[in-house]
Amino acid sequence: MNIVYYSSDLFSEMCGVAIQSLCENNKDADDINIYVVEDNISDENKKRLNNIVQHFSRKIFFIKKPEQKDLYPEVKYDLGHTYARMALAEILPSNVDRVLSLDSDTLVLDSIQEMYNTAFEKDQIVAGVYDCVGTAIQKRVLQASDSMKYCNAGVLLIDLKKWREKNIGQKLVDKILQGIENNETMFFLEQDILNIVLDGHIKLLEPQYNMLTSIYIFGYDEIIKMKKPVEYYTKNQIIRAKKKPAIIHATTCFYVRKQEA
């Protein structure tokens, strides 16, 4: 399995916990190659990450995060740190044809080998888990179709071979430039861009592979009532996923329930 994480030096401790959880719960995997797209991680913290991986007899590779101006010289607007997720075809070695992209605030709690080996249909390039985005954003702001499978970008299984063949990297750049020119709003930055460009090319995974914070804070009925998503998982799917999550994702949430006195 090829797994890629993204981390700064400040976030490297959390990244280490994420990597530990991956290795601990996938001991029977034949191979795990871990790529860390890093933003000035210190030698000391790289050594700590390397020690974690070596304990499980796995391999880790550190890839310096390229400068935005080198990747996207046409884009003068600051895309923030997460643009590296859109440039995996350029960042990762050319012989990596499939990769699981994971945020460093994830915990892998079960085997993900079956998910990693998911079969893609002809036109499918990525696989992900629904993000419960409301109708107002998906239809009015992003002007997306009802059929869009809007997925959270923190866990994405990517067929890099197809990605390169379809020149997705350039299509993402074109969308960014179009958005700047038309003063379009992107609420979730590269996540919006990825979903728009890849609309019609996304395979939906079961929710246990990206259990977001909001799923635990709110009840299912609350989420549906508040966000009014165009499409989402059934209540039974979420209940089953809560009982046996494979990946938990500590996303920020606009609401924190207060403790009862």
Side-chain angles (χ1 to χ4, degrees), residues 23 30 36 63 76 121 148:
C23 295
D30 291 337
V36 179
I63 300 175
K76 307 306 177 185
E121 295 178 12
M148 173 187 271

Side-chain angles (χ1 to χ4, degrees), residues 1 17 31 36 41 47 50-51 74 78 93 101 146 160 168 173 233 245 247:
M1 294 193 293
V17 174
D31 295 296
V36 179
I41 296 180
K47 183 178 179 179
N50 194 54
N51 287 342
E74 314 99 311
D78 184 6
S101 171
D146 288 349
L160 274 181
I168 298 300
V173 173
Y233 298 102
I247 300 176

